[in-house]
Amino acid sequence: MSSFNYIGVNAPTQDEQSNKGIFNIEDNYNLIVNGDFVLGSMYKHITTMDITSQVATLDFVNPELVNYGQLLIVANNLKYSGSTYSKLRLTPDGGTTYRSSGYSNGGYYGRANGGLTNDRNGSRDGIHMSITGNTATTGYHFVLLLGGLSTEYNTRAQFYQTNDYTGQLAVGWGGGFYNTDERHNGFQFVNSGSYNFSTGTVSVYGLEVGF
């Protein structure tokens, strides 16, 4: 780091997992001026799925998923082959099977010209990402936090979603979990009925252990 006039015996190292050393004021200034000063996120990008043709499920079984205490999943502009809503399901065996029953789910949902609806159930076929029956064909977005993957306790999900419901804004928030304690190492999104995902993007980020 001599180009930044660093003085000291513990020269700085810039590594994604282990930064060390000390920058003086002039170093920091030069880094900013040169466009080399980067503040990283606690979340690390794991994978992004771009949907360009119709698929029945979106499966995420990257072995890296279990290395993080919490996952952030962001879905943008999901579109479907028909009027439907998505559900989250978990797998204990890397995607060979997905649990299709035994979930608890709860949430509140509302529309621009309507009131809030409380939707909850202790025995579902997945964690519903929208109110049961509140279907849409276009413009579905959600942010999902998934915690506890790979632990022996409940994997828990919390989400916030927006979509276009019959020409008006619809929003919802809630969460859920699988009722039986077991280790999970992946997840999928599947739609109600027999409808497919048509287009959209889903990205997964992991929160480093210790935060």
Side-chain angles (χ1 to χ4, degrees), residues 51 58 73-80 82-88 105 109 127-132 134-144 159-165 168-174 189-191 197-202:
I51 306 158
L58 307 178
I73 300 104
V74 181
N76 286 307
N77 204 30
L78 291 180
K79 298 183 180 181
Y80 309 99
S83 188
T84 185
Y85 59 89
S86 298
K87 298 174 284 189
L88 170 71
N105 187 193
Y109 304 87
I127 298 173
H128 292 198
M129 300 295 295
S130 182
I131 189 171
T132 307
N134 184 4
T135 58
T137 55
T138 62
Y140 192 87
H141 311 263
F142 67 76
V143 176
L144 168 69
F159 65 87
Y160 177 83
Q161 63 91 8
T162 63
N163 66 281
D164 180 354
Y165 178 66
Q168 58 185 291
L169 173 67
V171 298
W173 60 94
F189 297 104
V190 61
N191 296 324
F197 296 93
S198 299
T199 59
T201 302
V202 180

Side-chain angles (χ1 to χ4, degrees), residues 10-209:
N10 296 317
T13 60
Q14 290 190 347
D15 181 85
E16 184 176 0
Q17 301 295 326
S18 177
N19 292 319
K20 65 180 181 179
I22 300 173
F23 290 99
N24 60 35
I25 296 175
E26 186 177 0
D27 291 334
N28 289 330
Y29 173 78
N30 289 331
L31 286 168
I32 294 170
V33 170
N34 293 339
D36 296 320
F37 186 77
V38 177
L39 290 175
S41 170
M42 292 185 297
Y43 281 96
K44 178 183 177 182
H45 177 254
I46 300 174
T47 186
T48 292
M49 184 180 294
D50 292 313
I51 306 158
T52 57
S53 60
Q54 292 196 13
V55 291
T57 64
L58 307 178
D59 299 343
F60 295 88
V61 291
N62 189 316
E64 192 177 352
L65 295 176
V66 298
N67 295 334
Y68 301 93
Q70 187 176 82
L71 299 175
L72 171 67
I73 300 104
V74 181
N76 286 307
N77 204 30
L78 291 180
K79 298 183 180 181
Y80 309 99
S81 62
S83 188
T84 185
Y85 59 89
S86 298
K87 298 174 284 189
L88 170 71
R89 288 177 173 171
L90 304 169
T91 175
D93 51 24
T96 302
T97 58
Y98 288 90
R99 299 306 189 204
S100 57
S101 62
Y103 294 88
S104 290
N105 187 193
Y108 278 93
Y109 304 87
R111 296 192 293 272
N113 63 351
L116 289 175
T117 300
N118 184 351
D119 184 42
R120 57 188 178 183
N121 192 296
S123 181
R124 279 199 165 146
D125 58 352
I127 298 173
H128 292 198
M129 300 295 295
S130 182
I131 189 171
T132 307
N134 184 4
T135 58
T137 55
T138 62
Y140 192 87
H141 311 263
F142 67 76
V143 176
L144 168 69
L145 291 177
L146 188 63
L149 209 65
S150 85
T151 70
E152 61 183 306
Y153 305 106
N154 302 60
T155 304
R156 297 182 179 270
Q158 306 88 39
F159 65 87
Y160 177 83
Q161 63 91 8
T162 63
N163 66 281
D164 180 354
Y165 178 66
T166 63
Q168 58 185 291
L169 173 67
V171 298
W173 60 94
F177 56 82
Y178 186 62
N179 293 332
T180 302
D181 292 341
E182 67 176 6
R183 296 179 184 273
H184 301 117
N185 53 19
F187 60 93
Q188 74 171 186
F189 297 104
V190 61
N191 296 324
S192 64
S194 57
Y195 297 107
N196 295 326
F197 296 93
S198 299
T199 59
T201 302
V202 180
S203 296
V204 182
Y205 305 85
L207 180 66
E208 297 284 5
V209 174

